[in-house]
Amino acid sequence: MPLPSNINISLDPSLYGLDPAALEFFQQQTGITNEDDLKHHILAVQAKAFAVAPYPCIYSFGFTRLRISRHPKYQSVLQFGRDCTNPLFLDLGCCFGNDARKAVADGWPVTQMISTDLRQELWDLGHVLFRSTPTSFPSHFIAGDCLDPAFLSCESRPTSQSLPDLSSLATLNDLHGKLSAVHASSIFHLFSAEQQASLVRAVASLLSPVPGSIVFGAHVGLPKQGTVREEMLGMAVEMYCYDPESWNKLWEDAGPFKMETVLKEVIAPNGEIGWMMVWSATMSTKSTV
């Protein structure tokens, strides 16, 4: 959800702050061990990124928080990857790729990691942020709009049993029925109710039919589904938010999924109460999605 280009907002370095786990991760990944030097480096990349994509998550340093490893299904996802032959992982809405890099650091094979976002520039800045190159971090990235059926369709297409050549992926449609795990955090709430429902069906079609294949993530939810209206960096924002029951039904209608969804109360810096829905959809039987 980018901000309008005509809104002039100055970045606020006081929002920067790494918790101990994030500090250790960024020190290891960047090779910058001095905390002041690391902060200077991250602020410099943030400024470049915000000029390209003025997203609230970039403004607020959301990209420095290790969302994926805090998810209750994270360790079981890593174990599923170890148990599978040629497991494939997709990070949907990856931004700089910090969650994908965390999963790789924790053992997921780097060449079997795929990330996607709307803009190639964000992935390229991820290499700047983590001081890597496509050679030193040879995972795969594909830019595209997940709401565009030409890029990601909810209609499964006939595919071979063999894995596609990931280095030449053109769309996510080439991955129908191939993925072991999909991580999708802070993305669904960016879209309308109808778009979210369509995206659920599309993402479900990407999963391997093997029981245990999983989609997991977290995003804004509500105790009762409806529209959230709030001000974000001086701009009025509306988000349609599902509640756990209605969210579970979307996935259960899309395939034989076992749902685990919890709604967590969160307190914003301004003291306002919000809700974060943490969820997973696990393939429970052989799927024909």
Side-chain angles (χ1 to χ4, degrees):
M1 186 182 296
L3 301 173
S5 58
N6 61 347
I7 292 182
N8 185 23
I9 295 176
S10 298
L11 295 174
D12 183 359
S14 71
L15 298 176
Y16 174 86
L18 301 181
D19 64 32
L23 175 61
E24 180 182 10
F25 174 73
F26 275 90
Q27 287 174 327
Q28 290 175 344
Q29 293 292 307
T30 64
I32 303 173
T33 56
N34 180 276
E35 291 188 37
D36 288 336
D37 291 344
L38 180 60
K39 177 180 179 179
H40 178 77
H41 173 68
I42 291 175
L43 289 176
V45 176
Q46 181 209 28
K48 292 178 181 178
F50 198 73
V52 171
Y55 296 159
C57 63
I58 293 175
Y59 178 90
S60 63
F61 295 96
F63 61 90
T64 64
R65 301 178 189 112
L66 302 180
R67 299 170 300 179
I68 192 170
S69 57
R70 295 198 301 266
H71 196 284
K73 283 292 182 180
Y74 180 62
Q75 292 301 327
S76 61
V77 169
L78 294 178
Q79 184 60 51
F80 185 66
R82 289 189 286 267
D83 294 340
C84 288
T85 301
N86 296 319
L88 293 182
F89 189 120
L90 174 68
D91 188 22
L92 184 67
C94 66
C95 193
F96 298 132
N98 48 302
D99 287 322
R101 288 170 184 267
K102 175 59 176 170
V104 168
D106 289 338
W108 199 280
V110 65
T111 57
Q112 288 158 237
M113 173 65 68
I114 307 151
S115 300
T116 185
D117 209 306
L118 195 59
R119 308 180 72 108
Q120 175 75 43
E121 299 98 319
L122 292 176
W123 184 255
D124 294 341
L125 283 167
H127 281 302
V128 177
L129 177 62
F130 292 102
R131 302 174 74 187
S132 63
T133 68
T135 300
S136 65
F137 187 74
S139 77
H140 306 279
F141 174 81
I142 178 170
D145 182 353
C146 64
L147 297 182
D148 181 357
F151 184 71
L152 175 57
S153 170
C154 59
E155 296 180 8
S156 296
R157 303 173 184 179
T159 59
S160 67
Q161 295 300 311
S162 61
L163 294 178
D165 178 3
L166 299 182
S167 64
S168 61
L169 276 181
T171 75
L172 294 182
N173 289 326
D174 297 329
L175 297 172
H176 274 138
K178 298 290 194 292
L179 297 179
S180 307
V182 179
H183 176 242
S185 281
S186 298
I187 182 168
F188 279 95
H189 61 224
L190 301 178
F191 308 126
S192 70
E194 295 76 15
Q195 289 170 331
Q196 291 182 59
S198 178
L199 186 57
V200 164
R201 294 191 296 271
V203 172
S205 73
L206 295 175
L207 275 193
S208 163
V210 175
S213 300
I214 186 170
V215 186
F216 66 110
H219 58 266
V220 180
L222 284 175
K224 183 177 180 179
Q225 63 178 323
T227 300
V228 171
R229 297 176 177 84
E230 60 182 42
E231 184 175 298
M232 189 176 295
L233 302 181
M235 180 181 70
V237 173
E238 289 191 358
M239 293 184 290
Y240 188 85
C241 301
Y242 285 90
D243 55 40
E245 182 180 0
S246 59
W247 182 247
N248 288 350
K249 188 175 188 307
L250 287 181
W251 286 96
E252 290 162 354
D253 288 346
F257 291 109
K258 176 186 176 183
M259 294 300 300
E260 295 180 60
T261 305
V262 296
L263 196 62
K264 295 186 175 183
E265 184 179 291
V266 294
I267 308 299
N270 62 4
E272 293 185 359
I273 295 175
W275 301 91
M276 184 65 65
M277 193 158 60
V278 182
W279 57 274
S280 63
T282 305
M283 192 73 71
S284 57
T285 61
K286 198 75 171 179
S287 171
T288 57
V289 173

